Amino acid sequence: MAKPIAVGLLGLGTVGSGVVKIIENHQDQLIHQVGCPVVVKKILVRDVYKERDVQVNTSLLTTRADEVINDPEIDVIIEVMGGIEETRRHLLQALQQGKHVVTANKDLMALYGSELLATATENGCDLFYEASVAGGIPILRSLVEGLASDRITKMMGIVNGTTNFILTKMCKYGMPYEQVLAEAQALGYAEADPSADVEGLDAARKMAILARLGFSMNIDLEDVQVKGITDITEEDLDYSKRLGYTMKLIGIAHRDGDKAEVSVQPTLLPDSHPLASVSDEYNAVYVYGEAVGETMFYGPGAGSLPTATAVVSDLVAVMKNMRLGVNGRSAVAPQYEKRLKSRSEIFSKYFVRIHVKDEVGAFAKITAIFAEQGVSFEKILQLPLKEKGLAEIVIVTHRASQQAYEDILQRLRDLEIVHQVKSSYRVEGNGN
Amino acid sequence: MAKPIAVGLLGLGTVGSGVVKIIENHQDQLIHQVGCPVVVKKILVRDVYKERDVQVNTSLLTTRADEVINDPEIDVIIEVMGGIEETRRHLLQALQQGKHVVTANKDLMALYGSELLATATENGCDLFYEASVAGGIPILRSLVEGLASDRITKMMGIVNGTTNFILTKMCKYGMPYEQVLAEAQALGYAEADPSADVEGLDAARKMAILARLGFSMNIDLEDVQVKGITDITEEDLDYSKRLGYTMKLIGIAHRDGDKAEVSVQPTLLPDSHPLASVSDEYNAVYVYGEAVGETMFYGPGAGSLPTATAVVSDLVAVMKNMRLGVNGRSAVAPQYEKRLKSRSEIFSKYFVRIHVKDEVGAFAKITAIFAEQGVSFEKILQLPLKEKGLAEIVIVTHRASQQAYEDILQRLRDLEIVHQVKSSYRVEGNGN
């Protein structure tokens, strides 16, 4: 049998402890898959003497990162400590010394993924990060494997469990956002400061990671258009239900030719869309490949065991590549130049809800604005409002460019008879 | 670079042509992943001079199987010719000569999988068959990878596109079975002789393959309890809708301790179950692992391009293993002794619809039979019928053993006041 592969861990929290346990308990299966044993050689911790729920020989523990990163016998660094700037320095240093890296850190990968992947490629190292997106779903590996014989043109994801939990409850019980958020916080599904989740930033990080990999293009976090769920009202959910839609916070990455668009925004999906029934804290990623067609991966988005399992899967992949001599080739630096679509090249259907003064000719003035931009209607509802002298108009458009639609919104807001544009959402069709 | 790996193909139909095209068009990506080139060296065909939609040097073609199987330079045999007995002999011969095998043949794997896998293990060969179950979904690979660090206890699948198409249309349009079947045949979704699909045999083959792999146990086709969709009526679908369920042909493989059960039968799923929204000809497999929890894989069940893509993924896995020297270790012969649950160890909820004579005390007599077996009710509906003197009773039970439930059914049929037991289905809860 080949000689053991030595691993160093940065961090020994719940995910790190899970990784250590899996490596111990599944040594036989790991040897079966890879052809050699794996040993944990050093672990960076904050406090060597802390009580832990995994038994580790204290001689493995250290509080000095360089003792792990600079150990010449360590082949693979597993990063499960979290954090950004300091962690980035550790991983760059590890890669520069030719060590392969497995990380579960989505914040780091979204912000510094391009730099880290380039460094990995320069040094012939693997840098795998399956656990950073939808912890329990092997989505990144599926993308990489699919890419060997397919071309991925679209990915749509429910990649944030907190917001999906909140929207599911709002839809199901007709409860307002603030009340559901408070409940989610009480249950531990949302953090005390929920802004990274509810404002869409967490989902945007994951979509940047997915788009970068799936399109092999250096998509950065700032390339992702982001809108969160904080403005969604019970009225919006009620209309979406009546029109046969389900509201979800959807990340979309779409490629036409060599140009890409990436966004995260509340989106109305037809009830029959595979993503519409993904409920509660679950995640799912829908992928369209030219050869395979539609596929979807569904599972837990987080949790320490799913995440640890994903980390070990990456470790197995690194070890296989080491033994194959093909490290630094798959899942590394993007091969295409980044080209983003302009607003005039991004197309979608839209839902808009407007309060107008209940005057003769009001409806005609509104429809004229859409017509001038060449945007036609798929569905229209007009209803009287309790507020005196006002009517509510709900429109679902046919496909329009983002530019045309945003121009329409601006002109509607400027219109004297329009009291308020209450809300506006992207609408997806079925499938690709 | 390492020397090329040589491949022999058995068959050059639509899937075989797709495989040849992918190998040609993605040579660079394949080299990237594996570290060496791959060449197609020989192809078994029926007619060398037939026109094909893929350009192949005719010197590669042969009508003699032994020229492919016995070629000492060929490392991997890809079987895409279909058929059972002759194909089985070819593959056994190939494995005995130390050649690795990739097959898309579910009939063969369901019937002779145990024998073929044992032969592969004896000869240190890989035998991969991703394309045999849910063509476009990388479910077998996900099971194998998951098994390295998890224990799978349950798999549920919609693994037959034809029956899912038929049930979707029946539910959606309230159309009777025969009419939808005729339409499916006209559209090419069902074959002229649809019996293997509609009687559940095709799904049973795939569930046997899934259970054998996921539980690492020699599950055979005859171990699978099978019931098809031919008796499902519009009334049943109507009741299931009213009760908040969706009817699907579901394969279930469940393991408790070291005992397994595998079945395929029409099943009522709660509308909120992830499998309930899998529509039309799509397939999906839901997997419960002790570490990862619930995951689901969704995609096209068939089609020549998805199938060819799956075959090439298997080829890549074989080639990696060849270069790692770990062939014949993953995805091969089962490691646990087969132990099947008895009827008294298989538990489920059940839906039963009964026509009874509308007499005083009829309902009490029926409930007494359930009570004697210790089976309680979750839901009951009683409705008058147009037929004079009859009433309809619909019951959804709490969990009961298959034995207790079948005894109840028999006793109900024997009861004088029972006019007919109209229908009976398994009912699944949400999630695991």
Side-chain angles (χ1 to χ4, degrees):
Chain A
M1 196 186 300
K3 78 178 182 64
I5 286 174
V7 170
L9 252 77
L10 305 181
L12 190 59
T14 51
V15 174
S17 304
V19 169
V20 170
K21 278 185 208 162
I22 293 173
I23 290 177
E24 271 176 19
N25 298 341
H26 295 80
Q27 192 66 234
D28 286 355
Q29 289 99 313
L30 292 171
I31 291 173
H32 255 212
Q33 289 207 327
V34 185
C36 72
V38 51
V39 290
V40 175
K41 187 150 184 285
K42 276 279 171 206
I43 306 175
L44 173 67
V45 293
R46 284 224 189 83
D47 175 1
V48 170
Y49 302 103
K50 191 179 146 189
E51 284 266 340
R52 298 172 205 280
D53 66 344
V54 60
Q55 284 220 321
V56 180
N57 189 325
T58 46
S59 69
L60 300 182
L61 305 183
T62 174
T63 54
R64 292 186 43 195
D66 57 346
E67 286 195 2
V68 186
I69 300 166
N70 294 337
D71 186 326
E73 289 177 9
I74 286 180
D75 307 293
V76 187
I77 296 289
I78 294 179
E79 186 272 302
V80 283
M81 62 189 279
I84 297 184
E85 293 302 337
E86 189 192 351
T87 313
R88 168 188 167 226
R89 283 193 300 275
H90 290 338
L91 297 190
L92 286 174
Q93 195 183 333
L95 292 167
Q96 279 152 2
Q97 298 188 38
K99 297 192 191 310
H100 310 295
V101 169
V102 173
T103 174
N105 193 327
K106 64 176 173 289
D107 303 9
L108 181 68
M109 285 307 296
L111 277 172
Y112 294 113
S114 300
E115 179 191 29
L116 288 163
L117 288 165
T119 309
T121 306
E122 277 163 29
N123 293 279
C125 293
D126 282 337
L127 168 57
F128 289 161
Y129 45 98
E130 182 68 72
S132 69
V133 179
I137 312 175
I139 177 65
L140 301 188
R141 181 154 310 111
S142 301
L143 288 181
V144 171
E145 289 193 352
L147 289 170
S149 53
D150 200 352
R151 184 185 139 89
I152 289 159
T153 56
K154 188 168 186 180
M155 292 172 278
M156 286 174 64
I158 294 175
V159 288
N160 178 273
T162 304
T163 47
N164 203 47
F165 178 88
I166 292 173
L167 288 177
T168 302
K169 297 295 171 213
M170 283 178 72
C171 283
K172 199 165 173 186
Y173 303 112
M175 279 156 62
Y177 169 74
E178 289 76 15
Q179 192 180 335
V180 178
L181 172 62
E183 196 186 300
Q185 286 170 319
L187 289 168
Y189 286 123
E191 295 179 42
D193 174 4
S195 50
D197 290 320
V198 300
E199 283 165 15
L201 181 62
D202 177 81
R205 286 177 186 139
K206 291 162 179 167
M207 290 311 298
I209 293 172
L210 282 174
R212 190 192 289 142
L213 183 62
F215 300 158
S216 198
M217 207 184 265
N218 257 328
I219 305 287
D220 293 308
L221 184 54
E222 70 231 40
D223 300 324
V224 184
Q225 293 193 39
V226 187
K227 188 177 154 194
I229 65 163
T230 52
D231 295 332
I232 297 174
T233 64
E234 297 150 83
E235 289 79 23
D236 294 329
L237 294 177
D238 188 46
Y239 276 115
S240 82
K241 205 179 279 181
R242 280 201 249 173
L243 293 166
Y245 295 111
T246 304
M247 177 89 75
K248 294 287 181 190
L249 183 66
I250 298 287
I252 296 184
H254 196 192
R255 172 161 68 169
D256 279 317
D258 59 354
K259 285 190 173 179
E261 61 173 281
V262 189
S263 66
V264 168
Q265 50 190 296
T267 302
L268 300 183
L269 299 174
D271 290 339
S272 56
H273 193 285
L275 287 173
S277 56
V278 175
S279 301
D280 300 324
E281 75 279 18
Y282 278 89
N283 282 17
V285 180
Y286 166 101
V287 179
Y288 188 85
E290 285 176 356
V292 165
E294 295 179 54
T295 54
M296 192 177 84
F297 302 85
Y298 166 99
S304 57
L305 266 176
T307 306
T309 306
V311 166
V312 173
S313 299
D314 274 350
L315 174 63
V316 169
V318 169
M319 295 193 297
K320 283 189 174 182
N321 284 352
M322 283 176 66
R323 302 211 50 237
L324 289 169
V326 295
N327 297 104
R329 298 201 191 177
S330 57
V332 290
Q335 62 183 119
Y336 300 113
E337 197 192 340
K338 177 166 79 181
R339 295 194 63 198
L340 297 173
K341 291 195 215 171
S342 68
R343 290 192 309 142
S344 63
E345 295 170 306
I346 297 176
F347 286 83
S348 178
K349 302 199 285 181
Y350 292 95
F351 165 105
V352 60
R353 183 161 68 91
I354 315 164
H355 283 188
V356 298
K357 292 178 189 160
D358 204 356
E359 290 174 7
V360 175
F363 196 73
K365 281 180 189 158
I366 285 169
T367 54
I369 287 176
F370 283 85
E372 277 166 39
Q373 292 282 355
V375 175
S376 58
F377 300 154
E378 183 176 300
K379 290 171 186 167
I380 304 177
L381 290 177
Q382 178 168 359
L383 299 140
L385 279 175
K386 282 179 200 158
E387 287 176 73
K388 220 184 141 193
L390 288 184
E392 183 158 65
I393 296 177
V394 172
I395 292 168
V396 177
T397 70
H398 281 299
R399 277 164 65 81
S401 75
Q402 187 179 353
Q403 182 162 44
Y405 180 69
E406 286 175 355
D407 288 354
I408 289 170
L409 279 188
Q410 193 49 54
R411 292 189 55 195
L412 286 174
R413 288 196 182 99
D414 294 344
L415 209 60
E416 198 269 329
I417 53 132
V418 168
H419 179 249
Q420 199 180 356
V421 175
K422 298 292 286 185
S423 58
S424 165
Y425 300 103
R426 183 166 176 148
V427 177
E428 268 293 305
N430 249 321
N432 169 56
Chain B
M1 199 185 301
K3 78 178 181 64
I5 287 174
V7 170
L9 252 77
L10 305 180
L12 190 59
T14 51
V15 174
S17 305
V19 169
V20 171
K21 277 185 209 162
I22 292 173
I23 290 176
E24 271 176 17
N25 298 341
H26 295 79
Q27 193 66 237
D28 287 354
Q29 289 99 313
L30 293 171
I31 292 173
H32 256 212
Q33 288 206 327
V34 185
C36 73
V38 51
V39 290
V40 176
K41 187 149 185 286
K42 276 278 172 211
I43 305 174
L44 173 67
V45 294
R46 285 224 187 82
D47 174 2
V48 170
Y49 303 103
K50 191 179 146 189
E51 284 265 339
R52 298 171 206 280
D53 66 345
V54 60
Q55 284 221 321
V56 180
N57 190 326
T58 47
S59 70
L60 300 182
L61 305 182
T62 174
T63 55
R64 293 186 43 197
D66 56 346
E67 285 195 4
V68 186
I69 299 166
N70 294 336
D71 185 328
E73 288 177 11
I74 286 180
D75 307 291
V76 187
I77 297 288
I78 293 179
E79 186 271 301
V80 284
M81 63 190 277
I84 297 183
E85 293 302 338
E86 189 192 353
T87 313
R88 168 187 166 227
R89 284 193 301 275
H90 290 338
L91 296 191
L92 286 173
Q93 195 183 333
L95 291 167
Q96 280 151 3
Q97 297 188 39
K99 298 192 192 310
H100 309 295
V101 169
V102 173
T103 174
N105 194 326
K106 63 175 174 289
D107 304 8
L108 180 68
M109 285 308 296
L111 277 172
Y112 295 113
S114 299
E115 179 191 28
L116 288 163
L117 287 166
T119 309
T121 306
E122 277 163 28
N123 292 279
C125 293
D126 281 337
L127 168 57
F128 289 161
Y129 44 100
E130 182 68 72
S132 69
V133 179
I137 311 177
I139 177 65
L140 302 188
R141 182 155 309 111
S142 299
L143 287 181
V144 171
E145 290 194 351
L147 288 169
S149 52
D150 201 352
R151 183 184 140 89
I152 289 158
T153 56
K154 187 167 188 180
M155 290 171 280
M156 287 174 63
I158 295 174
V159 289
N160 179 273
T162 304
T163 47
N164 202 48
F165 178 87
I166 292 172
L167 287 177
T168 303
K169 298 294 172 216
M170 284 177 73
C171 283
K172 199 165 172 185
Y173 303 112
M175 279 156 63
Y177 168 75
E178 289 76 14
Q179 192 180 336
V180 178
L181 173 61
E183 195 186 303
Q185 285 170 321
L187 289 168
Y189 287 123
E191 294 179 41
D193 175 3
S195 50
D197 290 319
V198 299
E199 284 164 16
L201 181 62
D202 178 80
R205 287 176 185 140
K206 291 163 180 168
M207 289 311 297
I209 294 172
L210 280 175
R212 190 192 289 142
L213 183 62
F215 301 158
S216 197
M217 208 183 268
N218 255 330
I219 304 288
D220 293 309
L221 185 54
E222 69 233 36
D223 300 325
V224 184
Q225 293 194 38
V226 187
K227 188 177 155 192
I229 66 163
T230 52
D231 296 333
I232 297 174
T233 65
E234 298 148 84
E235 289 78 22
D236 294 328
L237 294 178
D238 189 44
Y239 276 115
S240 82
K241 206 179 279 183
R242 279 202 250 173
L243 293 165
Y245 295 111
T246 303
M247 178 88 77
K248 293 287 179 190
L249 182 66
I250 297 288
I252 295 184
H254 196 190
R255 172 160 68 168
D256 279 318
D258 59 353
K259 285 189 172 181
E261 62 174 280
V262 190
S263 65
V264 168
Q265 50 190 296
T267 302
L268 300 183
L269 299 175
D271 290 339
S272 56
H273 193 286
L275 288 172
S277 56
V278 175
S279 302
D280 301 324
E281 75 278 20
Y282 278 89
N283 282 17
V285 180
Y286 167 100
V287 178
Y288 187 86
E290 285 176 356
V292 164
E294 296 179 53
T295 54
M296 192 177 85
F297 302 85
Y298 167 100
S304 57
L305 265 178
T307 306
T309 305
V311 167
V312 174
S313 298
D314 274 350
L315 174 62
V316 168
V318 169
M319 294 193 297
K320 282 189 175 184
N321 284 352
M322 283 176 67
R323 302 211 50 238
L324 287 171
V326 295
N327 297 104
R329 298 200 191 179
S330 56
V332 291
Q335 62 183 118
Y336 300 114
E337 198 191 341
K338 176 165 79 181
R339 297 194 63 198
L340 296 174
K341 291 194 214 173
S342 69
R343 289 192 310 140
S344 63
E345 295 169 308
I346 297 176
F347 285 84
S348 177
K349 302 199 284 182
Y350 292 97
F351 165 105
V352 59
R353 183 160 68 91
I354 315 164
H355 282 187
V356 298
K357 292 178 188 159
D358 204 357
E359 290 174 6
V360 175
F363 196 73
K365 281 183 188 155
I366 285 169
T367 56
I369 287 177
F370 283 85
E372 277 167 37
Q373 290 283 356
V375 175
S376 58
F377 300 153
E378 183 176 299
K379 290 171 186 167
I380 303 176
L381 289 177
Q382 179 167 358
L383 299 140
L385 279 175
K386 281 178 200 159
E387 289 175 70
K388 222 185 142 196
L390 288 183
E392 183 158 63
I393 296 177
V394 172
I395 291 169
V396 177
T397 70
H398 281 298
R399 277 164 65 83
S401 77
Q402 187 180 352
Q403 183 162 45
Y405 179 70
E406 286 174 356
D407 289 356
I408 289 171
L409 279 188
Q410 194 47 56
R411 294 189 55 196
L412 287 174
R413 289 196 182 98
D414 294 343
L415 210 60
E416 198 269 328
I417 52 134
V418 168
H419 180 250
Q420 200 181 355
V421 175
K422 297 294 285 185
S423 58
S424 166
Y425 300 102
R426 183 166 178 148
V427 177
E428 268 292 306
N430 249 320
N432 168 57

